[in-house]
């Protein structure tokens, strides 16, 4: 079983699936378009929702169930703190690029800057897929973060008040119900807009986070047995994990439009159970610091890749689609690195600002 407090394999998988999403969104670059790899790469988002649900269930043990409202606010703040600085810098970069794009095309002028900033307030407040219409979305992929926090606001107090029922029964039933509804309504996970009662973004978030909570329950049962797995057993579980990853990869490459979106959820679920339970022994041999670095890089890549496609649409590189894809990846990495530098500089300046404003 996993001896390390933090499972480095989760960070490794976060990085892997964030790269998949970056590759998937390369289709928005005109020079890549239909040549973009992994046309069903959008299914990776379910993995991130499941991981969020797992850690929400794990963290809930530390919060007061008698004051579920206050505990929910505290949990949301704790989860938002490490994410939001990177989110806001990525938003500002996307905003600047998009406004410049409008100006170059002659569609917008700098006199519209104030109106554009006001219309972006919903995105800054993570309401981009709440169903409330407020204006232009500047950094589209960040819908995931907004939907996740809306889902947490609904599910966390329910988890605190009815922990045993929710973890063992309720979370699975809610997940099945919502994924079933999404399947019957749209036949695909690649839909984010309005349904009859909320957006499909929030439905995906609630369903995925609930499934993550159920995974926590399953993993807790496995780890409570304190089973000692031999090398042969670990090797078998490693093989199973590799097969699951291969199947997920094949679905992402060849499964779009073939009704396999919701089948992939089952494989992601099995993958999470194997990884979180540590039955492969892989987390014990992975370098903690390097995997932690990759985990952070996954967030930076996710937040900063979509704007690069918009930039590339203004250039016509007379090279192959693969060459354009490499340029797209290289610029995304540079932008993610720049975003990290800006955030770190802001954090170093924050104590001086506090001293200036407060005693």
């Amino acid at each position: 079983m996993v001896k390390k407090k933090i499972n480095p394999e989760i960070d490794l998988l976060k990085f892997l699936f964030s790269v998949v999403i970056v590759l998937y969104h390369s289709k928005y670059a005109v020079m890549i378009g239909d040549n973009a790899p992994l046309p069903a790469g959008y299914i990776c988002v379910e993995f991130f929702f499941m991981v969020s649900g797992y850690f929400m269930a794990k963290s809930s043990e530390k919060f007061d169930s008698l004051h579920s409202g206050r505990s929910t606010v505290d949990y949301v703040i704790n989860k938002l703190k490490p994410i939001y600085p990177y989110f806001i810098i990525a938003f500002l970069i996307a905003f600047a690029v998009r406004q410049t794009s409008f100006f170059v095309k002659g569609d917008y002028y700098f006199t519209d800057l104030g109106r554009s900033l006001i219309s972006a307030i919903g995105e800054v407040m993570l309401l981009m897929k709440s169903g409330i219409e407020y204006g232009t979305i500047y950094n589209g992929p960040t819908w995931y973060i907004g939907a996740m926090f809306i889902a947490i606001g609904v599910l966390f107090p329910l988890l605190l008040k009815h922990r045993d029922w929710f973890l063992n029964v309720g979370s699975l039933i809610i997940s099945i119900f919502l994924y079933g509804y999404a399947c019957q309504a749209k036949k695909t996970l690649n839909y984010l807009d309005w349904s009859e009662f909320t957006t499909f973004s929030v439905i995906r978030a609630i369903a995925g986070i609930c499934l993550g909570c159920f995974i926590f329950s399953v993993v807790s049962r496995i780890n409570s047995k304190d089973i000692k797995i031999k090398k042969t057993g670990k090797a078998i579980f490693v093989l199973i994990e590799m097969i699951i990853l291969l199947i997920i990869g094949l679905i992402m490459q060849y499964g779009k439009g073939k009704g396999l979106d919701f089948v992939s959820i089952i494989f992601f679920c099995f993958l999470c159970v194997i990884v979180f339970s540590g039955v492969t022994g892989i987390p014990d041999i992975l370098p903690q610091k390097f995997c932690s670095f990759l985990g952070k890089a996954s967030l930076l890549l996710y937040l900063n890749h979509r704007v690069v496609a918009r930039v590339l649409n203004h250039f016509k590189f007379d090279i192959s689609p693969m060459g354009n894809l490499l340029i797209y990846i290289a610029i995304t990495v540079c932008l993610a690195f720049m975003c990290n530098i800006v955030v770190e500089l802001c954090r170093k300046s924050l104590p001086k600002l506090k001293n200036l404003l407060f005693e």
Side-chain angles (χ1 to χ4, degrees):
M1 297 299 172
V2 182
K3 297 179 180 179
K4 296 182 180 182
K5 186 176 181 181
I6 298 175
N7 190 330
E9 192 175 5
I10 295 299
D11 284 329
L12 187 61
L13 288 173
K14 280 183 179 179
F15 179 76
L16 172 65
F17 290 131
S18 68
V19 170
V20 169
I21 293 172
V22 170
L23 293 175
Y24 164 70
H25 280 146
S26 67
K27 66 178 183 176
Y28 293 107
V30 171
M31 300 304 291
I32 301 173
D34 294 336
N35 295 294
L38 304 168
Y42 53 82
I43 64 175
C44 287
V45 176
E46 307 314 304
F47 171 80
F48 289 96
F49 282 137
M50 291 179 197
V51 170
S52 295
Y54 181 93
F55 284 119
M56 184 182 80
K58 186 175 182 179
S59 299
S60 65
E61 299 171 340
K62 306 173 185 177
F63 287 87
D64 181 10
S65 61
L66 295 177
H67 301 89
S68 58
R70 180 178 296 180
S71 294
T72 300
V73 172
D74 291 341
Y75 177 73
V76 168
I77 291 174
N78 290 341
K79 192 169 181 64
L80 192 59
K81 277 182 180 179
I83 298 175
Y84 197 73
Y86 298 102
F87 166 84
I88 201 66
I89 296 301
F91 162 77
L92 291 173
I93 293 172
F95 181 86
V97 169
R98 185 144 184 166
Q99 287 302 112
T100 302
S101 173
F102 284 141
F103 179 72
V104 170
K105 290 180 179 180
D107 297 333
Y108 272 49
Y109 298 95
F110 286 126
T111 52
D112 294 309
L113 182 61
R115 182 171 63 85
S116 298
L117 282 170
I118 293 172
S119 69
I121 189 66
E123 183 172 351
V124 173
M125 296 179 68
L126 302 176
L127 296 173
M128 61 282 287
K129 287 299 177 181
S130 63
I132 302 171
E133 296 184 4
Y134 52 84
T136 303
I137 296 177
Y138 290 89
N139 196 7
T142 56
W143 69 265
Y144 157 79
I145 299 175
M148 177 182 67
F149 281 110
I150 292 173
I152 288 173
V154 173
L155 297 174
F156 195 73
L158 184 61
L159 170 60
L160 291 180
K161 287 293 187 180
H162 306 283
R163 182 177 178 81
D164 181 67
W165 170 82
F166 185 79
L167 289 180
N168 292 287
V169 181
S171 57
L172 180 61
I173 297 301
I174 293 171
S175 180
I176 292 173
F177 174 80
L178 291 180
Y179 276 133
Y181 170 75
C183 182
Q184 292 300 314
K186 294 299 175 183
K187 312 299 182 184
T188 178
L189 289 168
N190 191 26
Y191 190 82
L192 304 175
D193 295 329
W194 188 253
S195 176
E196 278 111 7
F197 58 95
T198 184
T199 62
F200 272 87
S201 307
V202 175
I203 290 173
R204 286 176 68 180
I206 293 176
I209 290 174
C210 280
L211 196 50
C213 290
F214 180 73
I215 290 169
F216 174 81
S217 176
V218 173
V219 171
S220 297
R221 285 174 177 268
I222 294 172
N223 289 340
S224 67
K225 303 295 183 180
D226 196 25
I227 301 171
K228 304 297 181 182
I229 301 177
K230 295 183 178 180
K231 290 183 178 180
T232 304
K234 290 181 178 180
I236 292 173
F237 279 115
V238 169
L239 179 61
I240 293 172
E241 182 179 340
M242 294 302 106
I243 292 173
I244 291 173
L245 285 171
L246 176 61
I247 292 172
I248 291 173
L250 290 173
I251 291 174
M252 288 188 293
Q253 183 61 35
Y254 303 108
K256 185 177 181 181
K258 298 180 180 179
L260 296 178
D261 287 14
F262 295 90
V263 175
S264 70
I265 294 169
I266 299 173
F267 289 103
F268 276 121
C269 188
F270 287 149
L271 176 66
C272 287
V273 170
I274 290 174
V275 173
F276 277 114
S277 60
V279 292
T280 61
I282 292 176
D284 295 326
I285 62 176
L286 289 175
Q288 185 83 58
K289 290 184 178 179
F290 179 68
C291 289
S292 179
F293 165 78
L294 291 180
K296 182 179 180 181
S298 68
L299 174 65
L300 289 165
L301 290 173
Y302 182 82
L303 290 175
N304 291 280
H305 71 278
R306 183 68 174 272
V307 67
V308 180
R310 181 172 297 278
V311 172
L312 290 180
N313 287 341
H314 290 286
F315 300 93
K316 304 297 181 184
F317 296 110
D318 189 20
I319 56 177
S320 66
M322 179 57 69
N324 279 285
L325 182 62
L326 292 175
I327 291 173
Y328 166 76
I329 294 171
I331 297 176
T332 297
V333 171
C334 292
L335 199 61
F337 181 70
M338 184 179 74
C339 179
N340 184 60
I341 291 176
V342 172
V343 170
E344 293 303 319
L345 289 174
C346 291
R347 282 177 172 166
K348 289 180 180 179
S349 302
L350 190 59
K352 296 180 180 179
L353 181 62
K354 285 183 177 179
N355 292 334
L356 181 64
L357 298 175
F358 307 105
E359 294 183 1

